[in-house]
């Protein structure tokens, strides 16, 4: 791949800017439609993602696909990535310095794709981009990040932990119909 996003992905795969590269099997740059109107940003790769080098391929990914399908979206329609591109050991939260090291990659991905809307999945991604937390209050609301609309939504792992959230996640996804 020789386009901007492809080169960026190659750089991410060999990145050593923070300690997370030490234990990774594969970095997870992100994947999907390079001209996507909708960009989804999660927290960090987990075990399955680290093994496969692809975002959201475990149980959280299955739930993400289910809520996307509920509004007629497939994962190939959108671009999916994470705030940090390498798995934190034992799935701990990414640290501030790790997020800061990785942030230029995310900014370049957003600048290259220029989506109509960014969906931040969970508190980490939301806090990184717009400095807000408290998903109960802010999920499904529209914010701005640079020139893009941004909508925080529950992280799919929250929906696995609390299946009652699934309906709320599907309702929030309906907002994406404005951007398809
Ligand atoms: N959780 C995330 O935040 N990202 C993934 O890629 C997988 C699980």
């Amino acid at each position: 791949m020789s386009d901007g996003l492809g080169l960026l992905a190659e750089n991410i795969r060999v990145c050593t800017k923070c300690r997370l590269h030490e234990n990774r099997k594969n970095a997870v740059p992100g994947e999907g439609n390079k001209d996507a109107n909708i960009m989804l940003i999660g927290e960090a790769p987990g075990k399955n993602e680290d093994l496969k080098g692809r975002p959201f391929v475990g149980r959280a990914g299955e739930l993400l696909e289910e809520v996307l399908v509920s509004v007629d979206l497939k994962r190939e329609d959108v671009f999916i990535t994470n705030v940090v591109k390498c798995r934190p050991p034992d799935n701990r939260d990414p640290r501030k310095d790790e997020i800061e090291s990785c942030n230029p990659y995310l900014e370049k991905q957003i600048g290259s794709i220029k989506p109509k809307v960014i969906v931040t999945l969970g508190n980490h991604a939301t806090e990184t981009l717009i400095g807000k937390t408290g998903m109960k209050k802010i999920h499904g609301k529209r914010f701005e990040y640079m020139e893009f609309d941004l909508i925080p939504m529950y992280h799919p792992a929250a929906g696995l932990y609390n299946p009652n959230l699934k309906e709320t996640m599907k309702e929030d996804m309906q907002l994406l119909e404005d951007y398809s």
Side-chain angles (χ1 to χ4, degrees), residues 28-42:
V28 181
E31 66 183 26
N33 182 350
K34 294 178 173 53
D35 301 311
N37 291 338
I38 300 165
M39 183 164 179
L40 305 182
I41 305 177

Side-chain angles (χ1 to χ4, degrees), residues 8-10 12-13 27-31 53 55 79-82 85 109:
L8 198 56
E10 285 169 26
I12 292 168
R13 286 199 190 92
V28 181
E31 66 183 26
F79 192 89
I80 307 178
T81 188
N82 286 298
K85 315 300 193 202
Q109 288 176 316

Side-chain angles (χ1 to χ4, degrees), residues 56 79 90 114 157 166 168 171:
F56 283 100
F79 192 89
D90 301 320
K114 296 194 186 2
K166 251 169 51 170
T168 308
E171 279 166 29

Side-chain angles (χ1 to χ4, degrees), residues 4 10 25 32-34 36 48 72-73 76 92 94 99 107 114-115 118 123 128 141 152 163:
E10 285 169 26
K25 298 219 165 32
N33 182 350
K34 294 178 173 53
N48 293 298
D72 269 339
L73 286 169
E76 306 84 72
R92 66 158 167 76
I99 293 174
E107 285 177 359
K114 296 194 186 2
I118 294 170
N123 277 320
T128 300
K141 298 217 165 100

Side-chain angles (χ1 to χ4, degrees), residues 142-158:
R142 286 176 220 249
F143 295 88
E144 277 176 15
Y145 169 77
M146 306 199 313
E147 70 261 43
F148 310 105
D149 282 5
L150 183 150
I151 307 177
M153 297 194 193
Y154 281 105
H155 192 285

Side-chain angles (χ1 to χ4, degrees), residues 28 41-50 54-61 64 75 80-84 91 121-122 124-125 155-157:
V28 181
I41 305 177
E43 175 181 328
K47 187 170 183 214
N48 293 298
E49 291 77 20
D50 176 64
R54 298 181 54 211
F56 283 100
V57 289
R59 287 180 64 225
L64 180 61
R75 55 187 291 153
I80 307 178
T81 188
N82 286 298
V83 169
V84 299
N91 298 341
L121 297 167
H124 281 280
H155 192 285

